[in-house]
């Protein structure tokens, strides 16, 4: 983006709004006056939110921003994060409440009460301490969605060690980079993991990753696949320990120590589109305050009544903030599911919702579109009447997917909260409040009470209604990142240099205001195309394509074009048996986009493909599609969830399908 005041063409013309029912609004945790309360005195507001937690020592100052961009929240306060997520619920008489309904992929289940969680976390904390892990040490965790993953994270928090969770599907090279950068002392993993009905090795990959790793002293191995896994689990005698042998013999008593509010809680690496991944650092008091506050208000969570399910993996920030910390601080009862959504059948999620009477369900647009592709007749077979709030996170949600979600999963009445936030923000920042906001399909709408976000132009000046530009966060917030691990320069450069004079945090996302002042996220700034001088978001064209009855999923890239700068190239997956994908069908799609957005947005080329390349967190890798669109050799595919997808796409195109 080089020109001033980028006037993003106002291409999304969504005008449907869905106010909450009187019944929902009447019982909602968050009422409209929350905005005014926060505006009147932000620091007093956040101090009140921090009272959700149990502090050993109360803070003296709410916010210290004198060393910006390094914030300190609840300065002088001391607390134990694990105590807040576990023990205090037992002490208040809820030890018998189920914290986790765990569902294994092969169908095994385990219900864990708060009393049991306290025992497990205490034993794991004693186990780590027995290996010499102390406050400030780093423990890397590469585990699938098994209860031990949560026990391990909370055990680290309990003793003040930082966890560094590495997504279970990451390669040995990726794991090693994260272990080395954070200087992890202990690694926790499993023998193997169940994936689509098969047992796949984990420990073998970890061993490959750790060859010659200098900082790692011990590897703790959870037994999950056991004799279902082919071959022996590789073992290094003086380094490796079975979780069950080490943990089971520990005392069930562990006294949590109070740590400073700014004590580091974890590092989580985010892969930028290029270069080395960044270790995002989060700390304790502010992070837990905002994750708990948002979980309470955005999902309207009622402790002891709701059953909540966030489908993320703990390898991502959503799993950290909305499976582990926020929900457990709020005494949630939640489902944790180990497997993939179509194992053993495409109704697995709905079956689980029916069984556990899930009332709050939080997932990602990519999965919603996959469900659309599988067909509405699948969820129709299940009783989903327990659901009362649906959430979305991870990427912009197309209005079409939003409506499908509400109609087919939410019985046409549940509020949908489209939550915008990032690994760096730690917690939800922009979202409707389900009992207050008249929701709009496709828009995350407004910064939450206590949060301030703006859409600004190149110069950092806020744009007016209907205008577009960059999303910035102009005031510090409690769960904000406290740095990039070991790289202060990169922290300042990446987030704080773009609008240095104004002191804004630059999120890297394009956004616009509609005429009501609601925020629409338009994808990463580098996903905004420039066609003949018009700025068009890839999301907007994707949204138009997906609104056509024959299209299940679409990904759009801007390909270099000698005359127009960039030309729009679309990759589409067609629905079930809709059409054959011939010339006529493609022409119809081009015309549909022209009709929905305008002739300027008509894709230069539309390719029908069987799959789209996605990262393991479900984000479409447009870089690879750009390679195809520009007839280049396809680049590095190692971060794809399924690296064979690109072959499938390329061979399909060559054979003219
Ligand atoms: C929580 C998470 C962050 C990036 C962010 C943005 C995109 C997330 C979104 C959304 C539009 C939403 N994003 N939520 N875009 N609407 N509701 O996903 O963190 O993995 O760090 O990704 O995801 O582009 O900048 P993370």
């Amino acid at each position: 983006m080089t020109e001033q005041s980028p006037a993003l063409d106002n291409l999304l013309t969504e005008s449907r709004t869905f106010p909450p029912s009187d019944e929902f609004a009447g019982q909602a945790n968050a009422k409209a006056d929350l905005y005014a309360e926060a505006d009147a005195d932000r620091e007093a507001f956040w101090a009140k939110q921090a009272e959700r937690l149990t502090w050993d020592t109360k803070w003296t100052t709410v916010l210290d921003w004198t060393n910006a961009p390094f914030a300190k929240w609840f300065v002088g306060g001391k607390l134990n994060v694990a105590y807040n997520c576990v023990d205090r619920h037992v002490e208040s008489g809820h030890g018998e409440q189920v914290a986790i309904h765990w569902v294994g992929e092969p169908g095994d289940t385990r219900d864990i009460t708060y009393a049991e969680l306290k025992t497990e976390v205490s034993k794991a904390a004693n186990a780590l301490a027995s290996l010499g892990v102390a406050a400030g040490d780093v423990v890397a965790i590469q585990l699938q969605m098994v209860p031990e993953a949560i026990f391990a994270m909370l055990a680290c928090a309990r003793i003040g060690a930082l966890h560094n969770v590495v997504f279970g599907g990451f390669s040995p090279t990726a794991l090693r980079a994260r272990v080395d950068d954070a200087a992890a002392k202990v690694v926790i993993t499993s023998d193997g993991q169940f994936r689509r009905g098969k047992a796949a090795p984990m420990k073998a990959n970890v061993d490959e990753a750790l060859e010659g790793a200098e900082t790692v002293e011990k590897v703790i191995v959870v037994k999950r696949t056991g004799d279902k896994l082919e071959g022996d689990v590789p073992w290094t005698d003086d380094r490796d320990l079975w979780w069950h042998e080490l943990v089971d013999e520990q005392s069930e008593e562990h006294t949590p120590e109070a740590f400073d509010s700014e004590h580091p809680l974890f590092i989580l690496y985010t892969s930028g589109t290029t270069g080395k991944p960044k270790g995002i650092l989060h700390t304790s008091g502010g992070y837990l305050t905002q994750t708990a506050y948002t979980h309470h208000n955005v999902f309207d969570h009622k402790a002891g009544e709701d059953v909540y399910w966030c489908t993320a993996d703990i390898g991502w920030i959503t799993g950290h903030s909305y499976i582990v910390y926020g929900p457990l601080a709020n005494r949630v009862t939640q489902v944790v599911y180990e497997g993939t959504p179509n194992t053993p059948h495409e109704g697995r999620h709905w079956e689980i919702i029916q069984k556990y009477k899930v009332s709050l369900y939080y997932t990602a647009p990519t999965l919603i579109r996959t469900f659309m592709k599988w067909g509405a007749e699948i969820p129709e077979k299940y009783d989903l009447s327990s659901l009362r709030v649906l959430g979305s996170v991870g990427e912009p949600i197309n209005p079409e997917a939003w409506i499908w979600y509400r109609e087919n999963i939410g019985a046409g009445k549940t509020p949908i909260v489209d939550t915008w936030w990032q690994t760096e923000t730690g917690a939800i920042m922009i979202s409707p409040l389900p009992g207050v906001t008249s929701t709009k399909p496709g828009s995350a709408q407004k910064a939450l009470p206590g949060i301030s976000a703006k859409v600004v132009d190149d110069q950092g000046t806020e744009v007016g209604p209907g205008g577009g530009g960059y999303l910035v966060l102009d005031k510090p917030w409690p769960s904000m990142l406290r740095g990039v691990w070991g790289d202060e320069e990169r922290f300042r450069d990446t987030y704080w240099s773009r609008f240095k004079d104004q002191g804004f945090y630059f999120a890297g996302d394009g956004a616009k205001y509609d005429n009501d002042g609601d925020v629409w996220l338009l994808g990463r700034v580098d996903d905004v195309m420039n066609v003949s001088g018009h700025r068009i978001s890839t999301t907007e064209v994707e949204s138009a394509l997906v609104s056509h009855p024959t299209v299940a999923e679409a990904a759009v890239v801007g390909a270099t074009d000698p005359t127009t700068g960039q030309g729009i190239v679309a990759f589409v997956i067609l629905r079930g048996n809709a059409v054959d994908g011939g010339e006529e069908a493609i022409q119809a799609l081009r015309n549909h986009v022209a009709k929905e957005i305008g002739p300027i947005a008509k894709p230069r080329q539309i390719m029908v493909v069987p799959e789209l390349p996605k990262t393991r967190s479900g984000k479409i890798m447009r870089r690879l599609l750009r390679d195809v669109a520009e007839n280049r050799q396809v680049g590095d595919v190692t971060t794809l969830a399924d690296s064979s997808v690109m072959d499938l796409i390329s061979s399909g195109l060559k054979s003219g399908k």
Side-chain angles (χ1 to χ4, degrees):
M1 291 202 170
T2 46
E3 11 165 330
Q4 287 185 20
S5 307
L8 272 157
D9 302 304
N10 189 346
L11 302 178
L12 285 169
T13 51
E14 185 57 55
S15 57
R16 293 169 281 192
T17 58
F18 300 88
S21 68
D22 291 346
E23 190 195 346
F24 191 100
Q27 61 80 61
N29 290 345
K31 303 286 199 280
D33 57 7
L34 210 58
Y35 292 101
E37 186 192 331
D39 285 347
D41 186 341
R42 256 170 59 83
E43 290 188 17
F45 176 81
W46 282 117
K48 188 170 157 194
Q49 300 312 322
E51 301 282 0
R52 298 175 178 284
L53 309 181
T54 305
W55 296 79
D56 280 59
T57 308
K58 202 176 159 175
W59 60 88
T60 49
T61 308
V62 176
L63 168 66
D64 178 357
W65 190 231
T66 53
N67 186 30
F70 294 91
K72 286 191 178 143
W73 281 87
F74 309 114
V75 185
K78 284 185 192 299
L79 79 172
N80 186 286
V81 168
Y83 171 86
N84 272 276
C85 293
V86 184
D87 307 44
R88 65 173 178 152
H89 307 318
V90 179
E91 289 170 14
S92 66
H94 299 94
E96 295 313 305
Q97 181 184 325
V98 172
I100 298 169
H101 290 295
W102 180 77
V103 182
E105 191 185 87
D108 47 338
T109 60
R110 180 174 172 193
D111 285 348
I112 301 156
T113 64
Y114 275 97
E116 287 163 345
L117 187 61
K118 176 169 178 269
T119 304
E120 297 294 347
V121 173
S122 298
K123 285 196 299 188
N126 284 323
L128 288 174
S130 77
L131 301 179
V133 178
D137 286 340
V138 176
V139 175
I141 301 174
Q142 188 174 42
L143 276 173
Q144 68 275 38
M145 295 296 286
V146 287
E148 289 82 357
I150 298 172
F151 304 159
M153 289 166 78
L154 291 169
C156 288
R158 198 171 179 96
I159 62 173
L162 291 75
H163 54 70
N164 167 13
V165 180
V166 181
F167 177 63
F170 267 138
S171 67
T173 317
L175 172 62
R176 176 61 176 273
R178 287 156 174 78
V179 163
D180 281 353
D181 190 66
K185 200 166 170 178
V186 169
V187 177
I188 306 180
T189 188
S190 63
D191 52 352
Q193 62 174 333
F194 292 111
R195 227 57 201 152
R196 299 178 201 282
K198 289 200 199 75
M202 289 273 281
K203 175 62 166 48
N205 294 345
V206 170
D207 275 19
E208 189 186 327
L210 296 186
E211 205 165 303
E214 282 173 7
T215 59
V216 177
E217 295 169 12
K218 296 284 174 199
V219 177
I220 308 176
V221 188
V222 173
K223 191 177 251 179
R224 173 61 183 140
T225 45
D227 55 15
K228 301 269 183 339
L229 190 69
E230 262 176 52
D232 290 338
V233 177
W235 207 257
T236 304
D237 279 337
D238 52 359
R239 184 197 66 182
D240 300 348
L241 299 150
W242 284 110
W243 172 284
H244 60 271
E245 288 178 3
L246 171 72
V247 173
D248 286 0
E249 68 178 22
Q250 302 293 328
S251 157
E252 295 182 0
E253 302 303 320
H254 180 273
T255 310
E257 184 188 334
F259 294 101
D260 194 89
S261 176
E262 284 299 332
H263 187 78
L265 183 62
F266 65 84
I267 312 168
L268 182 61
Y269 285 81
T270 64
S271 33
T273 33
T274 51
K276 175 171 161 245
K278 299 177 286 240
I280 303 300
L281 174 68
H282 283 288
T283 60
S284 305
Y287 173 81
L288 197 61
T289 296
Q290 195 177 327
T291 52
Y293 156 73
T294 49
H295 177 258
H296 177 79
N297 288 301
V298 172
F299 299 107
D300 194 46
H301 173 254
K302 311 272 197 295
E305 293 172 29
D306 279 306
V307 179
Y308 166 84
W309 183 13
C310 166
T311 69
D313 188 283
I314 49 124
W316 311 116
I317 191 68
T318 306
H320 284 58
S321 302
Y322 294 104
I323 294 176
V324 182
Y325 293 108
L328 292 174
N330 288 341
R331 186 164 53 82
V332 78
T333 293
Q334 70 179 323
V335 168
V336 173
Y337 172 52
E338 181 184 38
T340 45
N342 52 351
T343 308
H345 57 78
E346 291 169 348
R348 189 74 191 264
H349 275 214
W350 321 126
E351 183 180 78
I352 292 172
I353 289 173
Q354 173 177 286
K355 173 169 176 192
Y356 291 103
K357 299 197 168 33
V358 171
S359 52
L360 316 173
Y361 177 73
Y362 190 27
T363 194
T366 181
L367 194 55
I368 297 165
R369 290 191 300 262
T370 303
F371 293 141
M372 285 172 78
K373 190 165 73 181
W374 291 342
E377 60 282 4
I378 296 173
E380 233 163 59
K381 288 187 224 140
Y382 298 88
D383 178 4
L384 306 180
S385 61
S386 53
L387 289 169
R388 59 181 204 92
V389 179
L390 300 176
S392 172
V393 61
E395 49 173 324
I397 178 165
N398 321 78
E400 227 42 47
W402 194 103
I403 294 282
W404 188 93
Y405 195 26
R406 180 171 160 113
E407 289 300 319
N408 295 284
I409 309 305
K413 61 179 189 212
T414 53
I416 294 185
V417 288
D418 175 5
T419 62
W420 179 89
W421 59 293
Q422 310 176 295
T423 304
E424 293 86 343
T425 69
I428 299 171
M429 302 293 282
I430 305 178
S431 165
L433 287 173
V436 177
T437 315
S438 282
T439 52
K440 281 182 191 169
S443 170
Q445 300 189 288
K446 281 197 181 5
L448 288 174
I451 300 298
S452 186
K454 284 191 167 59
V455 181
V456 301
D457 65 16
D458 255 1
Q459 309 300 307
T461 307
E462 187 172 18
V463 302
Y470 305 103
L471 182 72
V472 297
L473 303 167
D474 58 317
K475 294 198 176 109
W477 62 101
S479 64
M480 68 195 293
L481 76 167
R482 300 301 200 264
V484 171
W485 189 249
D487 201 341
E488 183 174 331
E489 225 19 63
R490 197 167 175 200
F491 174 55
R492 291 183 190 275
D493 277 3
T494 313
Y495 306 105
W496 303 95
S497 64
R498 182 70 184 75
F499 297 104
K500 194 163 187 281
D501 297 344
Q502 298 85 351
F504 294 161
Y505 168 91
F506 172 50
D509 279 20
K512 68 170 194 183
Y513 290 126
D514 65 16
N515 292 329
D516 303 329
D518 280 329
V519 176
W520 294 71
L521 277 313
L522 300 172
R524 303 296 300 184
V525 177
D526 42 8
D527 289 339
V528 176
M529 301 174 288
N530 190 328
V531 183
S532 308
H534 294 265
R535 291 179 189 285
I536 300 168
S537 147
T538 52
T539 310
E540 289 175 313
V541 180
E542 287 166 8
S543 184
L545 284 166
V546 176
S547 75
H548 192 272
T550 60
V551 177
E553 196 160 4
V556 167
V557 297
T560 310
D561 186 284
T563 42
T564 60
Q566 283 189 311
I568 304 175
V569 178
F571 295 80
V572 298
I573 304 178
L574 297 177
R575 281 194 199 195
N577 308 319
V579 277
D580 60 2
E583 222 12 75
E584 221 177 284
I586 286 178
Q587 198 49 40
L589 288 180
R590 297 183 73 235
N591 291 339
H592 179 72
V593 175
K595 187 176 126 259
E596 290 288 301
I597 305 177
I600 182 69
K602 223 177 186 178
R604 184 181 79 184
Q605 199 180 357
I606 297 182
M607 309 195 201
V608 176
V609 293
E611 281 299 340
L612 289 171
K614 287 177 189 160
T615 62
R616 296 180 177 92
S617 64
K619 293 195 169 70
I620 293 170
M621 288 195 72
R622 292 197 174 70
R623 173 171 62 79
L624 299 178
L625 293 175
R626 227 171 277 131
D627 291 344
V628 174
E630 297 179 352
N631 296 316
R632 260 195 313 274
Q633 175 98 28
V634 172
D636 184 9
V637 296
T638 50
T639 55
L640 282 180
D642 176 359
S643 59
S644 65
V645 165
M646 289 315 295
D647 293 338
L648 218 65
I649 291 174
S650 304
S651 66
L653 293 176
K654 274 187 217 108
S655 68
K657 265 190 245 152

